[in-house]
């Protein structure tokens, strides 16, 4: 997926892995100077693990984290060792022990051991809820960790919260039916390309966890208003990156508040503000608030241009949305402009990226009869070969194969309205030939 990372550079919003590195480094002064484990403690470790002191083990863990020179397996082993030694040293219910368990959960996640990661993350989350409440800062960041785990496990192995044993966050949220054209950055297709309109519906594996995250966010902002920018920023970023689209206006509301916080605290001439405006535009887009979305993305581009940041990754996001928004309004010249501006800043890939898709409607019974098709037809599939013009539009559309010949015109009519990222190479736009697409018709 396309993620906005510049907030990490600004020091406001850190990525999941960086957040753990900062935490680990901060705790080093506490743990490294905390003494040695006893011989009795060593007997509780696996015999395969080297006998060492807790201080030595945590030093090794910190070295791994800071240098980033480790294999996922090695990180798991040293994180497991520090947790086991720490549990004996501090006690199984000590806050420091759960901090070490959180490090272990992170190490399992990096290694792709999703079930083990889930077990440890959930233990930490339950402990924090029990001891500090579910509206504490520590609970909030543990919840972010679980959301990241759910996203990673779903993206790589299609595992759900229930598969991982996290029953409290086990329900999916169905996406795709609430809006006409999905987010141009959330296409689900070959290589999970994320600039184009969605080719079907999707599931948000983190929906219930993000629901909870929003509740905790506003409570924390009430408790610590000076940190509102950080909390709302993390929450909006997490919701958008996971394609969380609630049926109500919660996402729009929190994105508005984040945008206002960024304007007040950072100023409109900062990247933080521009990013907050980008998130707000995406939230509007998903709710089919097209006028508001267009205004937001137009302003994003204007602000970037004023700072001579036309090639910033955020510009790509804005252009991608504006292609779809303008194409939906039949403002073809504007859609072409944004598709070409995007192409200038996006590295060419062999598998072309879809920016705007119009899904064909299943023909009515009357049209079926007119096209000499049975009114009992339930589904059909048409494979087309197209060329993609220098403007990003399908041209020279040919039928490759079809299950029902009468559906070929319906498929072609829909594809004609699509927009792709055009190919830009050697300072010129060129036609892409022989690109295959398949259109599936299913009676509702």
């Amino acid at each position: 997926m396309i993620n906005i990372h510049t907030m990490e550079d600004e020091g406001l919003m850190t990525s999941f892995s960086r957040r753990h590195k900062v935490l680990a480094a901060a705790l080093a002064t506490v743990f490294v100077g905390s003494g040695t484990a006893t011989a009795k403690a060593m007997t509780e470790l696996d015999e395969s693990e080297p006998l060492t002191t807790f201080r030595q083990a945590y030093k090794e863990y910190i070295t791994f984290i800071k240098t980033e020179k480790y294999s996922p397996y090695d990180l798991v082993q040293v994180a497991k060792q520090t947790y086991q030694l720490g549990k004996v040293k501090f006690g199984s219910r000590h806050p420091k022990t759960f901090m070490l368990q959180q490090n272990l959960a992170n190490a399992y996640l990096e290694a792709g051991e999703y079930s083990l990661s889930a077990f440890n993350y959930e233990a930490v989350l339950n402990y924090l809820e029990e001891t500090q409440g579910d509206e504490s800062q520590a609970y909030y960041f543990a919840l972010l960790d679980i959301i990241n785990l759910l996203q990673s496990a779903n993206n790589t192995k299609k595992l759900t919260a229930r598969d991982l044993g996290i029953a409290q966050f086990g329900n999916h949220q169905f996406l795709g039916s609430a809006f006409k054209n999905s987010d141009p950055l959330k296409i689900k297709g070959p290589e999970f390309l994320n600039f184009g309109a969605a080719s079907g519906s999707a599931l948000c594996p983190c929906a219930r966890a993000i629901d909870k995250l929003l509740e905790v966010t506003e409570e924390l902002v009430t408790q610590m208003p000076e940190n509102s920018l950080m909390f709302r920023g993390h929450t909006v970023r997490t919701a958008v990156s996971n394609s969380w689209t609630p049926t109500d206006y919660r996402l729009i509301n929190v994105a508005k508040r984040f945008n206002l916080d960024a304007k007040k605290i950072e100023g409109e001439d900062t990247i933080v503000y521009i990013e907050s405006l980008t998130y707000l535009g995406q939230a509007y887009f998903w709710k089919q608030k097209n006028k508001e979305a267009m205004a937001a993305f137009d302003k994003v581009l204007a602000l970037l241009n004023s700072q001579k940041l036309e090639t910033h990754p955020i510009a790509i996001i804005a252009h991608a949305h504006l292609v779809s928004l303008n194409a939906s309004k039949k403002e073809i010249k504007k859609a072409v402009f944004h598709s070409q501006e995007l192409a200038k800043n996006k590295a060419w890939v062999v598998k072309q990226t879809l920016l705007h898709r119009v899904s064909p409607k299943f023909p009515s019974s009357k049209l079926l009869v007119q096209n000499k098709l049975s009114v009992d037809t339930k589904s059909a599939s048409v494979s087309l070969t197209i060329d993609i013009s220098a403007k990003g539009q399908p041209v020279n559309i040919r039928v490759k194969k079809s299950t029902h010949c009468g559906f070929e015109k319906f498929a072609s009519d829909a594809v004609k309205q699509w927009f792709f990222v055009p190919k830009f190479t050697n300072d010129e736009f060129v036609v892409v030939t022989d690109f295959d697409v398949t259109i599936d018709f299913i009676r509702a």
Side-chain angles (χ1 to χ4, degrees), residues 131-432:
T131 58
Q132 300 185 33
D134 62 358
E135 293 175 344
S136 65
Q137 184 173 346
Y139 181 93
Y140 174 87
F141 284 108
L143 188 55
L144 281 177
D145 289 341
I146 282 189
I147 291 170
N148 182 72
L149 163 67
L150 293 174
Q151 181 187 38
S152 299
N154 185 261
N155 287 346
T156 58
K157 294 189 177 180
K158 305 303 179 187
L159 296 174
T160 68
R162 290 191 179 278
D163 295 331
L164 298 172
I166 311 177
Q168 60 181 311
F169 300 127
N171 288 354
H172 281 81
Q173 178 188 24
F174 180 75
L175 308 177
S177 60
F179 41 91
K180 188 186 303 180
N181 293 303
S182 299
D183 188 345
L185 298 180
K186 303 299 178 189
I187 177 175
K188 189 169 185 180
E191 298 182 0
F192 209 75
L193 301 172
N194 293 301
F195 283 89
S199 57
S201 49
L203 291 173
C204 176
C206 315
R208 288 188 66 185
I210 296 176
D211 284 341
K212 183 65 177 178
L213 188 69
L214 258 73
E215 294 177 20
V216 180
T217 298
E218 291 312 307
E219 179 60 32
L220 287 173
V221 169
T222 301
Q223 296 174 18
M224 294 175 279
E226 69 278 7
N227 292 326
S228 62
L229 186 66
M230 178 187 70
F231 289 125
R232 285 174 175 151
H234 273 302
T235 297
V236 172
R237 182 183 189 185
T238 299
V240 170
S241 67
N242 283 281
S243 304
W244 183 72
T245 55
T247 56
D248 55 23
Y249 286 85
R250 282 177 295 162
L251 180 56
I252 287 179
N253 290 338
V254 71
K256 280 183 177 179
R257 295 185 188 114
F258 175 42
N259 181 243
L260 291 173
D261 287 341
K263 181 178 180 179
K264 179 180 178 181
I265 298 170
E266 299 291 322
E268 287 193 12
D269 60 342
T270 63
I271 289 297
V272 173
Y273 174 78
I274 297 172
E275 289 178 341
S276 73
L277 191 60
T278 304
Y279 289 131
L280 180 58
Q282 289 176 289
Y284 279 135
F285 185 90
W286 289 345
K287 291 298 292 183
Q288 295 186 59
K289 295 286 185 179
N290 291 353
K291 181 178 178 180
E292 292 87 348
M294 188 173 290
F297 290 121
D298 280 336
K299 186 174 181 180
V300 165
L301 292 177
L303 290 169
L304 290 173
N305 290 342
S306 69
Q307 298 184 47
K308 297 183 179 180
L309 296 172
E310 297 89 346
T311 61
H312 195 283
I314 297 176
I316 294 177
I317 296 172
H319 283 304
H321 282 86
L322 287 167
V323 171
S324 186
L325 288 164
N326 282 292
S328 296
K329 292 177 60 180
K330 306 299 181 185
E331 296 279 356
I332 303 304
K333 288 185 179 180
K334 292 181 179 179
V336 169
F337 168 79
H338 289 292
S339 69
Q340 292 187 329
E341 287 299 303
L342 191 160
K344 292 176 184 178
N345 297 323
K346 178 184 178 297
W348 170 250
V349 293
V350 175
K351 292 187 176 180
Q352 190 57 283
T353 305
L354 183 63
L355 293 171
H356 177 71
R357 169 185 172 135
V358 175
S359 298
K361 294 181 179 179
F362 198 93
S364 64
S365 296
K366 182 179 179 180
L367 285 174
L368 289 173
V369 172
Q370 289 176 354
N371 286 272
K372 299 180 180 179
L373 293 165
S374 170
V375 295
D376 295 326
T377 302
K378 303 295 183 183
S379 63
S381 181
V382 180
S383 295
L384 303 173
T385 299
I386 65 174
D387 296 340
I388 299 171
S389 74
K391 297 179 179 180
Q393 295 171 288
V395 294
N396 190 24
I397 300 173
R398 295 95 72 193
V399 177
K400 187 176 182 179
K401 63 179 180 179
S402 174
T403 59
H404 298 74
C405 61
F407 280 81
E408 295 167 359
K409 181 180 183 303
F410 302 126
S412 297
D413 288 345
V415 171
K416 286 177 184 177
Q417 302 175 68
W418 290 12
F419 265 91
F420 292 84
V421 178
K423 184 175 183 178
F424 185 72
T425 182
N426 297 324
D427 292 327
E428 65 177 349
F429 295 99
V430 297
V431 175
V432 177

